[in-house]
Amino acid sequence: MGLKKAIVTGGTRGIGKAIVRELATKKIGDDFFADVAFIYNSCDSCADELVAELTALGANVKAYKTDVASFGDVQETVKNIIADFGSVDILVNNAGITKDNLLMRMSEEDFDSVIRVNLKSVFNFTKAVSRQMLKQRGGKIVNISSVVGIIGNPGQANYSSSKAGIIGFTKSIAKEFASRGINVNAVAPGYIKTEMTESLNDNQQNALLEFIPMKRMGTPEDVAKTVLFLSGDDASYITGQVITVDGGMVM
Ligand code: NDP
């Protein structure tokens, strides 16, 4: 059994998968750090594989298929998770998509869908866990933003707006929930090796490395370890912050 109960959105791939692994298998004495409910959208086999991998290690992990952009579905899913797990102590809003294009070529649909999946989902899940966390007077919420939500990026007006929105949301809810012992923080990764960044060619990757003082792309584990810290008791006096995990790209 895990000491805490956690929800991680977008747990089947990339950064989310690393976060699920980190929270579910980290040992605190004889116990695992957390039992983890993770959310995914389409890849059933990815979800089954991850559950099997972590269950074999003795961890308690369960997958829930839900579109994070749907308010009603999210309320229902979180209700089911709380019924299955007994409570929720940690929420990691990680699910995200990109639909990049220069503004002149960006459709209304591409703008709206990125905002709904990346930003409205954070509202949907925070709202869904808030009653439980406020009642128990404790909890940790970690929202995955991005460095482009801080510095912008051509071709990503939709994505960078969603990620900047997450930062505003994080700070507002941190202020609303601080007196109830709930910490709300954001992590802003730089360029991390996942399927999301796989489409960059060698030239694009080399150009990006120019701007990274540490001269390497990050790994999903680099982000997951920061999320683990912010989800734990050692981070109890940290709230409303944006922690960049980017090899020094933005400082
Ligand atoms: P991936 O594309 O590798 O994985 C995305 C995850 O989100 C998958 O598990 C996917 O599930 C899930 N997901 C997508 N849409 C939905 C939806 N509508 N409902 C439920 N689940 C959904 O992304 P990364 O791991 O690269 O990124 C994770 C987060 O980190 C994102 O928020 C991203 O913006 C952010 N980030 C990533 C960076 C990078 O360099 N990779 C840099 C900065 C921030 P399924 O497989 O079932 O579709």
Side-chain angles (χ1 to χ4, degrees), residues 9-17 39-44 46 66-69 93-98 117-118 144-147 159 163 188-197 217:
T9 70
T12 41
R13 288 189 277 126
I15 294 171
K17 189 175 183 177
I39 314 296
Y40 70 105
N41 187 40
S42 55
C43 185
D44 295 326
C46 307
T66 305
D67 178 3
V68 296
N93 284 304
N94 162 80
I97 58 168
T98 50
V117 174
N118 295 7
I144 307 299
S145 176
S146 165
V147 289
Y159 182 78
K163 295 300 181 179
Y191 285 94
I192 310 295
K193 261 189 203 295
T194 68
E195 283 172 41
M196 197 177 260
T197 49
M217 287 178 82

Side-chain angles (χ1 to χ4, degrees), residues 9-231:
T9 70
T12 41
R13 288 189 277 126
I15 294 171
K17 189 175 183 177
I19 294 169
V20 173
R21 281 196 180 117
E22 195 69 35
L23 300 185
T25 63
K26 178 79 188 174
K27 280 282 186 96
I28 308 287
D30 289 338
D31 296 305
F32 287 112
F33 178 73
D35 295 335
V36 180
F38 71 83
I39 314 296
Y40 70 105
N41 187 40
S42 55
C43 185
D44 295 326
S45 60
C46 307
D48 293 345
E49 271 171 36
L50 186 59
V51 170
E53 173 199 318
L54 298 176
T55 305
L57 298 174
N60 185 18
V61 172
K62 197 167 171 199
Y64 296 81
K65 188 173 186 172
T66 305
D67 178 3
V68 296
S70 164
F71 182 78
D73 290 357
V74 169
Q75 307 313 300
E76 194 58 34
T77 299
V78 170
K79 217 183 279 170
N80 292 336
I81 293 171
I82 293 174
D84 292 347
F85 283 66
S87 66
V88 54
D89 307 298
I90 297 161
L91 167 66
V92 183
N93 284 304
N94 162 80
I97 58 168
T98 50
K99 290 201 175 171
D100 298 350
N101 229 327
L102 294 172
L103 182 70
M104 293 306 285
R105 292 198 210 110
M106 187 177 286
S107 67
E108 183 186 6
E109 157 60 15
D110 285 353
F111 189 84
D112 287 348
S113 64
V114 168
I115 297 292
R116 289 178 69 248
V117 174
N118 295 7
L119 178 58
K120 180 148 184 264
S121 63
V122 178
F123 166 78
N124 292 344
F125 272 91
T126 306
K127 183 109 173 144
V129 302
S130 58
R131 187 183 299 271
Q132 174 71 29
M133 285 189 178
L134 289 167
K135 198 171 69 184
Q136 71 199 16
R137 292 191 158 265
K140 301 271 190 278
I141 300 175
V142 183
N143 299 322
I144 307 299
S145 176
S146 165
V147 289
V148 306
I150 302 170
I151 60 173
N153 202 19
Q156 291 197 307
N158 50 1
Y159 182 78
S160 56
S161 300
S162 72
K163 295 300 181 179
I166 285 176
I167 293 173
F169 185 89
T170 299
K171 293 182 181 183
S172 297
I173 304 305
K175 287 184 174 174
E176 282 188 31
F177 287 1
S179 65
R180 302 289 195 98
I182 301 167
N183 306 68
V184 190
N185 291 292
V187 173
Y191 285 94
I192 310 295
K193 261 189 203 295
T194 68
E195 283 172 41
M196 197 177 260
T197 49
E198 219 166 49
S199 57
L200 299 173
N201 63 36
D202 283 353
N203 282 346
Q204 288 170 313
Q205 295 207 10
N206 288 335
L208 282 171
L209 291 180
E210 287 290 307
F211 296 101
I212 303 175
M214 287 186 169
K215 298 294 172 211
R216 69 166 176 92
M217 287 178 82
T219 64
E221 291 70 31
D222 288 326
V223 180
K225 285 184 193 306
T226 307
V227 172
L228 175 71
F229 168 67
L230 290 173
S231 305

